[in-house]
């Protein structure tokens, strides 16, 4: 597996399709909304956290149903965070076929991009990753950077 290049992109108005409505999806959707992305979550069951967030955010749409093969049309990015590995794999295959960047939360070998730990204060934004291998270490470093930025 290659080394990932850190890239900062303007997420404002980018269309992000998220499949899955649990804890991982909720964490990632929350971050995406902070960066002004338009997010659509599709899952048969969606967490209370996401339902509440959708009531507060116009840029979050919820669809209470499962993934349907061939449905990914106009997404700029796709996140597969379902609890079904077969569904995640089908989403991955569809995205690869359509050349849409995808992140499969449960399988780093099926990720065109990673979600970094985010440390943001004022105009400074720092993204931290351990290459998808050590989430605890990345979280620890991210928290250290947050504290450092707050003390500036």
């Amino acid at each position: 597996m290659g080394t990932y290049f850190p890239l900062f992109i303007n997420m404002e108005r980018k269309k992000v399709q998220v499949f899955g409505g649990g804890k991982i999806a909720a964490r990632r959707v929350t971050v995406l909304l902070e960066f002004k992305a338009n997010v659509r979550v599709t899952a048969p069951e969606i967490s209370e956290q996401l339902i509440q967030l959708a009531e507060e955010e116009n840029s979050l749409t919820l669809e209470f149903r499962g993934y349907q093969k061939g449905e990914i049309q106009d997404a700029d990015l796709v996140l597969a965070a379902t609890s079904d590995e077969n569904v995640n794999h089908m989403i991955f295959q569809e995205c690869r076929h359509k050349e849409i960047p995808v992140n499969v939360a449960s399988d780093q070998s099926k990720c065109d991009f990673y979600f970094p730990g985010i440390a943001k204060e004022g105009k400074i934004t720092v993204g931290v990753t351990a290459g998808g291998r050590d989430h605890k270490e990345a979280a620890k470093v991210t928290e250290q950077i947050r504290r450092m930025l707050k003390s500036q």
Side-chain angles (χ1 to χ4, degrees):
M1 191 183 285
T3 303
Y4 283 63
F5 176 76
L7 176 69
F8 288 83
I9 63 172
N10 182 356
M11 291 301 295
E12 191 168 355
R13 293 189 298 276
K14 292 282 191 254
K15 296 175 187 170
V16 182
Q17 172 66 64
V18 178
F19 293 97
K23 291 178 185 177
I24 293 171
R27 279 198 315 262
R28 293 182 177 180
V29 167
T30 300
V31 171
L32 288 165
L33 292 173
E34 285 180 39
F35 288 88
K36 309 295 185 215
N38 287 328
V39 182
R40 183 173 61 234
V41 173
T42 302
E45 296 179 27
I46 298 177
S47 71
E48 189 59 41
Q49 180 183 358
L50 283 170
I51 292 170
Q52 194 170 33
L53 200 53
E55 291 172 1
E56 301 165 4
E57 294 284 341
N58 291 334
S59 56
L60 175 58
T61 305
L62 306 180
E63 296 181 352
F64 291 82
R65 61 175 180 79
Y67 162 76
Q68 298 168 356
K69 189 173 182 179
E71 76 172 273
I72 303 170
Q73 298 300 323
D74 63 349
D76 295 307
L77 296 173
V78 173
L79 310 177
T82 78
S83 58
D84 186 327
E85 293 303 316
N86 291 327
V87 171
N88 288 343
H89 184 70
M90 288 189 297
I91 294 166
F92 168 76
Q93 287 182 316
E94 183 174 346
C95 288
R96 278 291 163 91
H97 177 73
K98 294 179 178 177
E99 298 182 347
I100 298 170
V102 61
N103 174 289
V104 178
S106 60
D107 188 344
Q108 72 180 26
S109 70
K110 294 178 181 170
C111 293
D112 295 316
F113 61 94
Y114 291 137
F115 266 79
I118 303 285
K120 191 170 186 291
E121 188 70 31
K123 294 179 182 177
I124 303 295
T125 301
V126 178
V128 178
T129 184
R133 293 178 185 83
D134 192 342
H135 299 295
K136 287 182 181 179
E137 181 67 17
K140 179 179 153 187
V141 170
T142 301
E143 189 53 41
Q144 291 170 344
I145 293 170
R146 283 184 188 129
R147 286 194 302 266
M148 183 188 78
L149 289 174
K150 285 186 188 291
S151 69
Q152 295 294 321

